[in-house]
Amino acid sequence: RNQCVVCGALDKYLRFHIVPTLYRRLLPEAFKSHSSHDVVLLCVACHEKANAAHWKRKLEYAAQYDAPLMQSEVRPFGAEANARKAALALSRSAGSMPPDRRQFMCQQVLAWDPPADAPRAQGKVKFSMTPQDLGIPEDLFRAALAPLRDVRHDHGEVVVGAVQDVPEFIQGWREHFVTTMEPQYLPPMWGVNSKAA
């Protein structure tokens, strides 16, 4: 029977993917072939509620796996961001900084361990004090001054790449749907523990 699996509405319903397509598309082929089990009908109101609940879960994955859902620009983060800011400040005005501030900035640069493939600032770089005078290896200083690396990764790829147990991952989404939406009209053959592949 075509109806909303949550509230039973008989018209104006939409398909809803219990395991978001963002992840399902990246799962092994065997798990994609059973995806119809995880597509249900929801009325517009229930669809909006389910989308909001799914968004919250995706944000949890984003935080857990350091995989932002949306990025408007490429930005360094963590130690790289601190090293970059400090290196820029030191290159411009290390000579005029108070010694304790200069020492703090140097520590920020020294705390970053750039990947071997990190680009280095090329050509002549004008320093207010040389990296050697600051006690910073020049290669590290040039890495911190280099143009930004594109560190964006597809959220779905990062999350699915970290999944150890695909059936458990799928079951987790099913449980999330049942818990957040409390569906009253699921088909009799549908189940959280139904075979995922």
Side-chain angles (χ1 to χ4, degrees):
R1 185 172 186 189
N2 287 338
Q3 68 186 83
C4 174
V5 299
V6 174
C7 71
L10 295 171
D11 63 344
K12 297 183 182 174
Y13 40 79
L14 305 164
R15 288 184 306 159
F16 182 78
H17 297 264
I18 292 174
V19 178
T21 307
L22 159 77
Y23 306 121
R24 169 107 33 208
R25 68 183 170 84
L26 299 165
L27 295 176
E29 200 59 44
F31 296 97
K32 292 184 204 177
S33 65
H34 286 70
S35 64
S36 63
H37 181 79
D38 294 314
V39 179
V40 294
L41 295 177
L42 298 179
C43 67
V44 174
C46 291
H47 198 277
E48 287 179 14
K49 181 181 174 186
N51 274 336
H54 269 39
W55 181 254
K56 288 179 185 175
R57 186 170 171 98
K58 289 176 193 175
L59 288 174
E60 291 169 7
Y61 280 131
Q64 180 180 351
Y65 296 110
D66 192 24
L69 282 160
M70 298 183 299
Q71 290 183 326
S72 58
E73 59 184 288
V74 181
R75 290 187 176 195
F77 53 92
E80 181 179 358
N82 295 339
R84 182 170 175 70
K85 290 176 197 171
L88 289 169
L90 288 167
S91 69
R92 292 184 189 129
S93 55
S96 61
M97 283 182 182
D100 57 335
R101 180 72 178 154
R102 184 171 52 238
Q103 181 180 2
F104 174 77
M105 294 289 192
C106 289
Q107 289 170 348
Q108 294 293 304
V109 176
L110 290 167
W112 181 45
D113 183 20
D117 65 343
R120 303 317 198 240
Q122 300 298 313
K124 187 171 180 163
V125 178
K126 187 176 179 183
F127 301 112
S128 68
M129 289 179 72
T130 68
Q132 292 81 5
D133 293 338
L134 296 168
I136 301 172
E138 186 167 349
D139 186 59
L140 173 60
F141 204 77
R142 285 183 175 276
L145 289 172
L148 293 177
R149 295 178 299 124
D150 187 344
V151 294
R152 290 179 290 190
H153 298 285
D154 177 80
H155 168 84
E157 289 176 3
V158 173
V159 172
V160 171
V163 168
Q164 299 293 314
D165 185 337
V166 174
E168 185 179 291
F169 178 75
I170 291 170
Q171 184 178 343
W173 278 103
R174 291 173 180 169
E175 288 170 355
H176 172 74
F177 177 75
V178 169
T179 302
T180 58
M181 298 304 296
E182 300 176 352
Q184 302 299 308
Y185 301 92
L186 284 167
M189 299 301 289
W190 193 92
V192 168
N193 298 319
S194 293
K195 189 175 177 184

